[in-house]
Amino acid sequence: MLIFWILIFILSLALLVKSADWFVESSEKIGLALKISPFIIGVTIVSIGTSFPELASSIAAVLKGASEIVVANVIGSNIANILLIVGLSAVMARILLVKRSLIDLDAPLLAAATGLFIFIMLDRKIVFGEGILLLLAFLVYFLYTIFQRREEIITPELVEVLPGGAEIKVLPSRAERRRKEIKEKPSKLNFRIFLFLILGIIGLAIGANYTIESVLKISEFLKISTALIAITAIAVGTSLPELVVSVRAAIKKKYEIALGNIFGSNVFNILIVAGIPALIKPLAIDNLTFLVGLPFLVIATLLFVISGISRRIHIWEGAMYLLIYILFIVKLLNLF
């Protein structure tokens, strides 16, 4: 039975991630067909779409009475985004170049969101009022982002000057490239769009439900906490698409891998993926998440922001990120 539920977990997670892609792509096309501004679509659907699997699984966890999974999922996903994805990308590419806008806008917002999240977590629970606070913080973040970037012109590549005078070409983030694509390719409504929208919604619901159900069964069989599975397997699983994209870019010698998706995804995870479920039911925070996950989240976020200030993430920094992630997993498993 254990093997059966592990298989269900893998299949459910795959369905969850793929359904999110279907939902986002269909929503983009419907928005364009309804003459909604491509910029608005870009900063809403495109920017937050990569976090839909985390949100769906978190809501399912709360509805199944396993609220401790939510915060573990958020923290695990954010740690994996930074230490695993950025670390592996830096090692593969040998150097990552960071856009100035990420340092001027996204890095401070990520630091502020993480700080708020930590403050709220100190009593080891997130209640309704705190969920409202997180959502209000996201509204401020969203409006500020729109205000700052409403005049932004997306180009295939940007030339920037690093400290020291060196000029570099920096590719826009995946979200930015997608915004450019949807701006250039107006959409017309057809049956296929609505079909994949419906399939995406159904897939998200089914995938999230069985992902959480399998986590509960696996934890029961192995006699381990559900938070341990959430902070590791679910977090890494929902981050796999971004990991694959980043590694592929590195292998193709596209050294200028942009990091905008990581900043945006981590902010969304903190403010929305934790905020919305807290409106349904208070979120519990177990010892593993609080004593191990939280300190590593702080370390990962600080390293990411500090590395970004230099606008370069070197191969040795990427290796350090990966070593810290391994240390994180080892600590979770209580091997030292």
Side-chain angles (χ1 to χ4, degrees):
M1 286 297 290
L2 176 60
I3 295 177
F4 170 77
W5 283 111
I6 291 176
L7 181 61
I8 292 295
F9 173 76
I10 295 172
L11 293 176
S12 299
L13 205 54
L15 175 62
L16 188 61
V17 172
K18 188 60 181 177
S19 297
D21 287 340
W22 288 340
F23 178 79
V24 170
E25 186 175 346
S26 300
S27 298
E28 290 171 10
K29 292 178 180 178
I30 292 173
L32 288 173
L34 296 177
K35 308 299 182 183
I36 297 175
S37 165
F39 175 77
I40 297 299
I41 295 174
V43 297
T44 53
I45 298 172
V46 175
S47 296
I48 67 180
T50 54
S51 293
F52 277 167
E54 287 92 337
L55 178 59
S57 59
S58 293
I59 292 175
V62 169
L63 294 177
K64 285 183 174 291
S67 65
E68 70 280 358
I69 288 178
V70 177
V71 176
N73 187 14
V74 169
I75 290 179
S77 180
N78 281 19
I79 291 173
N81 280 346
I82 296 174
L83 298 181
L84 185 60
I85 294 177
V86 177
L88 189 56
S89 297
V91 169
M92 297 294 293
R94 303 188 68 81
I95 186 172
L96 300 181
L97 306 177
V98 184
K99 291 175 59 179
R100 184 186 302 277
S101 62
L102 294 181
I103 303 306
D104 294 340
L105 176 63
D106 296 85
L109 291 175
L110 174 60
T114 303
L116 174 63
F117 187 57
I118 292 170
F119 177 74
I120 286 176
M121 283 181 58
L122 291 179
D123 60 354
R124 299 201 180 193
K125 63 180 182 295
I126 300 178
V127 297
F128 182 87
E130 292 167 333
I132 292 291
L133 180 60
L134 291 174
L135 295 180
L136 288 175
F138 178 77
L139 179 61
V140 172
Y141 164 78
F142 174 69
L143 294 176
Y144 184 69
T145 301
I146 289 181
F147 177 76
Q148 289 293 319
R149 291 178 174 165
R150 60 184 175 183
E151 302 298 332
E152 185 179 70
I153 299 175
I154 304 301
T155 56
E157 59 184 23
L158 303 172
V159 176
E160 294 189 2
V161 180
L162 287 175
E167 287 191 353
I168 59 169
K169 291 181 178 180
V170 183
L171 296 180
S173 69
R174 190 155 59 100
E176 288 174 336
R177 293 196 297 273
R178 184 62 182 148
R179 289 175 202 146
K180 185 173 186 293
E181 289 173 8
I182 61 178
K183 185 175 182 179
E184 293 177 344
K185 298 178 181 179
S187 178
K188 293 183 179 180
L189 292 178
N190 56 54
F191 174 76
R192 188 172 184 273
I193 292 175
F194 287 101
L195 174 62
F196 276 93
L197 177 68
I198 295 171
L199 288 176
I201 294 172
I202 294 174
L204 279 170
I206 295 175
N209 178 67
Y210 280 98
T211 295
I212 300 304
E213 183 68 25
S214 58
V215 165
L216 296 175
K217 294 293 185 182
I218 292 170
S219 67
E220 183 180 330
F221 274 108
L222 298 179
K223 300 187 184 306
I224 58 177
S225 71
T226 54
L228 175 59
I229 301 176
I231 206 170
T232 53
I234 295 180
V236 173
T238 53
S239 298
L240 279 179
E242 191 64 37
L243 177 63
V244 171
V245 169
S246 299
V247 171
R248 280 179 179 173
I251 292 175
K252 292 178 181 179
K253 306 300 181 183
K254 294 181 179 179
Y255 300 129
E256 312 88 347
I257 299 172
L259 303 173
N261 288 347
I262 303 299
F263 283 98
S265 178
N266 281 16
V267 171
F268 185 83
N269 283 343
I270 288 172
L271 301 180
I272 294 294
V273 176
I276 290 179
L279 303 184
I280 302 173
K281 183 180 179 181
L283 305 181
I285 301 170
D286 75 342
N287 286 335
L288 187 69
T289 303
F290 188 82
L291 298 177
V292 180
L294 188 57
F296 274 91
L297 174 64
V298 173
I299 292 170
T301 303
L302 286 176
L303 282 176
F304 192 35
V305 172
I306 293 171
S307 295
I309 291 174
S310 68
R311 300 186 58 202
R312 294 177 180 177
I313 300 179
H314 296 275
I315 184 173
W316 66 267
E317 292 174 288
M320 179 180 66
Y321 279 25
L322 292 176
L323 287 174
I324 295 174
Y325 189 74
I326 293 172
L327 179 63
F328 168 61
I329 297 298
V330 170
K331 185 63 177 176
L332 285 174
L333 298 176
N334 199 28
L335 297 180
F336 77 92

